Amino acid sequence: MSKNLIAILFKEVNMAIPSEVIAQVLERANIYDVISRYTTLKRSGSSAKGLCPFHSEKTPSFSVSEQKQVIIALAAEQAEVL
């Protein structure tokens, strides 16, 4: 479970969801399975890459680490680890 991801989720929902609930979701949901519902991911080593669902792009710059349960959006003005 990534504490960075929990912090970002809190910011996105204005802390309307208790941290315990967010932690339970992160423990039960596989980030690769969730993200692959919204964008096509291609396995590349220990991670997967695809087009960023948050930005318009033609070259894959979005990375999902199933092991670490994090995503990295490189198309952002500066790389974001979510």
Side-chain angles (χ1 to χ4, degrees):
M1 164 177 38
S2 169
K3 290 184 181 180
N4 289 337
L5 184 54
I6 292 173
I8 289 168
L9 288 172
F10 273 146
K11 187 167 71 173
E12 293 297 318
V13 297
N14 291 326
M15 301 199 49
I17 300 173
S19 62
E20 297 82 18
V21 173
I22 293 173
Q24 288 175 1
V25 169
L26 291 172
E27 287 175 10
R28 294 178 186 170
N30 180 299
I31 198 162
Y32 177 88
D33 294 338
V34 173
I35 298 297
S36 65
R37 293 179 190 165
Y38 300 95
T39 190
T40 302
L41 297 173
K42 184 177 180 182
R43 297 237 183 232
S44 175
S46 64
S47 62
K49 294 186 177 183
L51 298 176
C52 182
F54 307 116
H55 306 95
S56 296
E57 62 182 12
K58 295 181 181 179
T59 305
S61 69
F62 186 75
S63 180
V64 177
S65 173
E66 193 169 6
Q67 263 184 334
K68 297 177 183 177
Q69 292 290 298
V70 298
I71 59 175
I72 301 171
L74 297 176
E77 289 183 19
Q78 65 183 130
E80 298 175 57
V81 177
L82 309 174

